[in-house]
Amino acid sequence: MRRRATDFRRPVRRRVQNVVWWVFCSIVLVLFIYILTKGSGNIESTYHFSRRTFREDRIIEGFNVTEEMLKPDSVARQLNDQIFLAKAFVVIAKESNNHQFAWELSAQIRISQIFLSNAATRRTPLTIKESEHAIRDMALLLYQAQQLHYDSATMIMRLKAKNQALEEQMSSVSEKSSKYGQIIAEEVPKSLYCLGVRLTSKWFRNLSLQRKTKDKREVEMKLKDNDLYHFCIFSDNILATSVAVNSTSINSKNPNKVVFHLVTDEINYAAMKAWFSVNDFRGVTVEVQKFEDFSWLNASYVPVLKQLQDSDIQNYYFRGNSDDKKTPIKFRNPKYLSILNHLRFYIPEVFPDLKKVVFLDDDVVVQKDLSELFTIDLNGNVNGAVETCMETFHRYHKYLNYSHPLIRPHFDPDACGWAFGMNVFDLVQWRNRNVTGIYHYWQEKNADRTLWKLGTLPPGLLTFYGLTEPLDPSWHVLGFGYTNVDPQLIERGAVLHFNGNSKPWLKIGMEKYKPMWEKYMDFSHPLLQQCNFH
């Protein structure tokens, strides 16, 4: 029987081939596992590296110098404390003329500050190892300072003495600055004095100029016509009054209906008359009077005149030695002795034929038509004024003595103050309510200056209490003589008031506001040229 072909195959050879195949597969598998293992290790190391880098970035980003210094073991705080103490010792060393030691302390302070600056820049905390030398060197210098008797008690006493000396020096400088500033504010510039002299000379030499004013009979009719717009100014400053009149006339829609009543003193009367005679203000009617002609203005009727004649009052104003210099220098201004400053409380007596008047200070500039003021309803009140209790301005308790029994129960301390400088006065109501009598009452009660110190605003607040109608703030904008004013208020303002010491005609005037005043001065006028106005 024949064998099959398969029977003749060699089984041994077949087994050898199977072994080779399995060995090869095993090698490949081992290589694969090896490669896989190595790759996972690289991935893991890359992961750890990235994680570490991210953590360091977070540390850098989250580093806070303040938080680091609050730690109990903060090296930065120790350095900072040493610097603070060393600075105090530097001052004491200089006071003791130990300049070499002060220089050594200053040098070490700079070194310590560099360490702190570097730490803040790199945004990592200081370590004891890197700052050891700086801390030790500074500690050595501080120890030497103590050995030089710069102990804490001595240091505190010396610093207190130094602080007290500086405060006294500052107080003295401040007082001198205020005093000299007040003197400058009260001075009559040479150019203004020159103008007054030339105008006075012109008035008395030119008789035709005097006749010219007397020939205008129609003027007398206008002075009593209550259908016109009547303004009054009480001043001895020709230039300032001229600007107030000129700015009003230029911005008036009907200047021929505007009447200005000017009251001055005998010294400036001729000059004021001459100036307003030789200059035309677009048809505005101008009357000039002197208060010396008012027969009713005497000490028996006017309490303040009697007070101003008192020698103690004059010493108070001129010498200021009656209250141990407790009163601020600004309240010792001799202008308070001038009756022109108090004449505003006698407007009905000054103008007996008028029913309504707009009172203006001489340090104002008018930039809008004011005819509307004469149509405002004051609702039965006497005084129309802009309130000044907004922002930094004051209320009644800032002006009056509320510890006095006459003040405390009768006046609300938080009532709004208001401003003199642009006021609408209803003279009919004034006379009906005897407002001048109210003013006399309070002036007599304040003969000893216990209700208020000085000035005309405090008695005005008392006199017109409950008789004042608030006006829109745009009618009267203050502050151009001492502070910065909101440009929007300037744009809307009808009357701009240069209250304060920095008057625009003085060298100390605020430069950025001077042009608003100077635009109403004709500097090409021959008299102004002769007196060097520019």
Side-chain angles (χ1 to χ4, degrees), residues 203-204 233-236 261-273 287-297 339-340 343 350-351:
W203 175 258
F204 285 110
I233 299 177
F234 308 135
S235 173
D236 57 1
H261 304 265
L262 310 180
V263 180
T264 187
D265 54 21
E266 191 167 14
I267 296 174
N268 295 281
Y269 176 72
M272 197 82 79
K273 290 281 286 187
E287 176 198 30
V288 180
Q289 301 181 78
K290 55 183 177 179
F291 71 80
E292 287 86 354
D293 289 340
F294 301 150
S295 59
W296 52 266
L297 193 62
I339 193 61
L340 286 172
L343 209 56
V350 178
F351 313 113

Side-chain angles (χ1 to χ4, degrees), residues 52-65 119-125:
R52 183 172 61 255
T53 304
F54 175 74
R55 184 168 60 252
E56 289 176 354
D57 290 341
R58 287 294 301 274
I59 290 173
I60 292 175
E61 291 176 2
F63 177 67
N64 187 304
V65 176
T121 302
R122 76 189 186 201
R123 308 196 72 176
T124 56

